[in-house]
Amino acid sequence: MRMMPLLLTLAIGSLTGVTAAQDAPKTVIPETALSTAPALRQTALDSELGFRITESLTTEVGPRLAGSEADARAVAWAKAKFAELGYDRVWTEPVTFPKWERRSESARVVGRNAQPLVLTALGGSPGGTVEAQVVRFDDLAALEAVKPGSLAGKIAFIDQTMERSRDGSGYGIGSRVRSRGPSAAIRAGASAYLMRSAGTDSQRMPHTGITRFDEGLTPIPSAALSLPDADQLSRLLALGQPITVKVALDCGWNGEATSHNVIGEMTGSSLPDEVVLIGGHLDSWDAGTGAIDDASGVGITMAAGKLIGDLKQRPARSIRVIAFANEEQGLHGGYAYAKAHADRISNHLIAAESDFGAGRIYAFDTSAPAHAKAAAAQIAKALAPLGIEYKPGEGGPGPDISPFARDGVAWANLMQDGTDYFDYHHTPNDTLDKIDLEALAQNVAAYAVFAYLAASAEGDFGSAAKAADSED
Amino acid sequence: MRMMPLLLTLAIGSLTGVTAAQDAPKTVIPETALSTAPALRQTALDSELGFRITESLTTEVGPRLAGSEADARAVAWAKAKFAELGYDRVWTEPVTFPKWERRSESARVVGRNAQPLVLTALGGSPGGTVEAQVVRFDDLAALEAVKPGSLAGKIAFIDQTMERSRDGSGYGIGSRVRSRGPSAAIRAGASAYLMRSAGTDSQRMPHTGITRFDEGLTPIPSAALSLPDADQLSRLLALGQPITVKVALDCGWNGEATSHNVIGEMTGSSLPDEVVLIGGHLDSWDAGTGAIDDASGVGITMAAGKLIGDLKQRPARSIRVIAFANEEQGLHGGYAYAKAHADRISNHLIAAESDFGAGRIYAFDTSAPAHAKAAAAQIAKALAPLGIEYKPGEGGPGPDISPFARDGVAWANLMQDGTDYFDYHHTPNDTLDKIDLEALAQNVAAYAVFAYLAASAEGDFGSAAKAADSED
């Protein structure tokens, strides 16, 4: 996942609430649906389906960088998997984006402390080889405060630590160092940019992730060191003599690519044209096999849709499951979907994306306005036996949902325990063995119960097109 | 560390015991020394010296593959560090060995499941590129049982699991798969050899280590997959269709190199020509920075010697600390020392090497024969406050000590808790952050107390030249 800045998340949350009609009739979940939920929940808990889908994608396709040959195989895999699971409708929608390629990357300290350093290019970085003295900064603010041009001929290195947390809030700092650091380094005149990976582990694995360069700046090679390597570089610098590092990246933008959002739908019984949207993203970074980011999200939501489809009595509305294209490099799939379905906002009852790993869900929140709060509470009550608390005001839409949420679609958030998420996020270590089968089944149960009850609701959750000034 | 096969260890243990003179006078530790031990123990526990030495070697030199430029820097570092610590005598002794180089290594599944696999060449492997179908075996025995020539044109893959244990006993299997697997693969006709790393982690980091090829066989490219990659390859094979992997190793033997055992000595007060030998090994594998294997062993024993040297009243005998050359590729430093000092066996009162990581020491053992058992028990009693149990019959000499022990030198073993040792052993993850400062200080305290008391003993621990038929 890429995660939106917190402020944007909060802005979307409050805007969506304001948008809802103040005099709308109260939304309720019918008793028949509520009485069906426990059995659905238990079926999901007893099922390995979510894990098996996740296993299939990560094993058979492996890493699937957006626009790569493997990404195309992932699209074919998702279509075939939806069909195999018996989804009523399966289709794709094109998503076009700039294509970024990673070919090779290495770094080493040169001179009297000669040794390799383990790093990875940030997504969007240009290639290039730079051999220069390293200047270390404690944090992003320190680099942003230096005199323009003062780092000419140097490599800027931010050694800022990211804190572990259940809700992933520490990633706010980590992702800022990644997205804003390179531009700060360029303004300071630096020839290359290094950062301590945005991660919470102590493994010798760097964390990649997309970066960007401010308009008008000439991009420089930008990379993240593993945490032990950031420690090592800081220790070397603390010895007091100049440290020169050679960074060699072969990577960069290379034209455009078209991938696809892959969509499967279980048709609703009485309002099939209205949908509850759930999903994850199909692309991954290239170092790992994208197990927790985000094959698990695809597996959880594909399995949830399948289990709802298997019910004797389908809910009123359709369950639409989306495997989004290219989330990692800028929510391209999410933006494309929002654009393609801009005239169908009120048909999307509510939307939720799973993109924070495979840990147990501990909390539930939704943008439901006043007239739908009782229904949200009914859903929360059905989720409670899974150990899920109702925490109004704590969540926000998942990344690929966020463009559509900004346009007015109601969202729900099933918050996963991300305590160890940033140990593996965007590293070679994001592999299937990091996923607990039972925790994944709990996720499937939560998504199935949520989507089923929402799709059964009498009334809406506040989805309505925003005024034209709310642009993407 | 490389670790000796268990049977050899046991053989050395019993032989050493038998060798001791049956009518030797009883060895005792004098009361003056015993009364000094608690203060020495506490000084060591309060000191960061062992950690700081470990930090210095791993930071300033980094990885130091035997025979590399960095290995030569490590030798210079060790000489300088002994001098800086105030050792009375510092010298080097040459160690010559075949030089093995690693230049690059990669692997990928080709075809419809195309994806990279993370592996590392085994030490001693030749280079080469092989693209072939993979045949998986549950264990070494299964590969050894196949018909000669039946794997012609195939890659043999052993997916044998190694168990976690405090005493490292699981490595018996792991190291056998590494040392004997390649020859079994060659006999079966295979073009390349892959193994599940001899490790207990679930990180995407392969474990390297030396292998060997039986006489008369033509070596083939041989490598270890990380554990998640071994899982992935097994899952791919379980899909039921042929899986082709391309392995590309650029590595191999390249002439000879000469490195050095680096030796520092604190002169004894009354019997300076007799020594208690402690040490670790200076070389490391190249992927990590050799922190737990074995900068910690060097740091522990250098610090212990220094703290003994700082005592107002030196022990009777000298404390000799050795940073051994090239342990990893065949105990070359240990064999060279044994050969160079073959005529001085009885001058070596007792020897101990620290080469099992940086975990707390939990047990003590020695080859002490009957007449020295009471002294061994006295030492054990002084170690007990450190949480160390006396476990006669459980240990064996450290790897670099073992050739000399086979020749007749008495050994002690301060057994470290290796529960997590094989999570990091021989991987890129063997870095300073894996070492706990307090656990390392406990190790220094144990080595200091042991070496000080042994060097103060009235009497010997059984060191005596063996009969000429006990060859290296």
Side-chain angles (χ1 to χ4, degrees), chain A residues 55 58-63 69-70 73 111-116 118 202-205 228 231-232 235-236 239 286-289 424 428-429 431-434, chain B residues 55 58-63 69-70 73 111-116 118 202-205 228 231-232 235-236 239 286-289 424 428-429 431-434:
Chain A
E55 178 181 45
T58 57
T59 302
E60 295 164 41
V61 179
E69 175 272 341
R73 273 192 285 127
R112 77 190 169 288
N113 305 110
Q115 56 186 290
V118 178
S202 190
Q203 312 296 337
R204 208 163 177 202
M205 300 216 187
D231 290 340
Q232 182 83 336
R235 277 192 298 267
L236 283 167
L239 296 174
D286 46 340
T289 63
Y424 307 119
N429 237 348
T431 48
L432 185 65
D433 51 292
K434 309 310 182 301
Chain B
E55 179 181 45
T58 57
T59 302
E60 294 164 42
V61 179
E69 175 273 338
R73 275 192 284 126
R112 76 190 171 289
N113 305 112
Q115 57 187 288
V118 178
S202 190
Q203 312 296 336
R204 209 165 176 200
M205 300 213 188
D231 290 340
Q232 182 83 335
R235 277 192 298 267
L236 283 167
L239 295 173
D286 45 341
T289 62
Y424 307 120
N429 237 348
T431 49
L432 185 65
D433 51 292
K434 309 308 182 302

Side-chain angles (χ1 to χ4, degrees), chain A residues 219-230:
Chain A
I220 57 175
S222 299
L225 293 163
S226 86
L227 278 74
D229 286 85

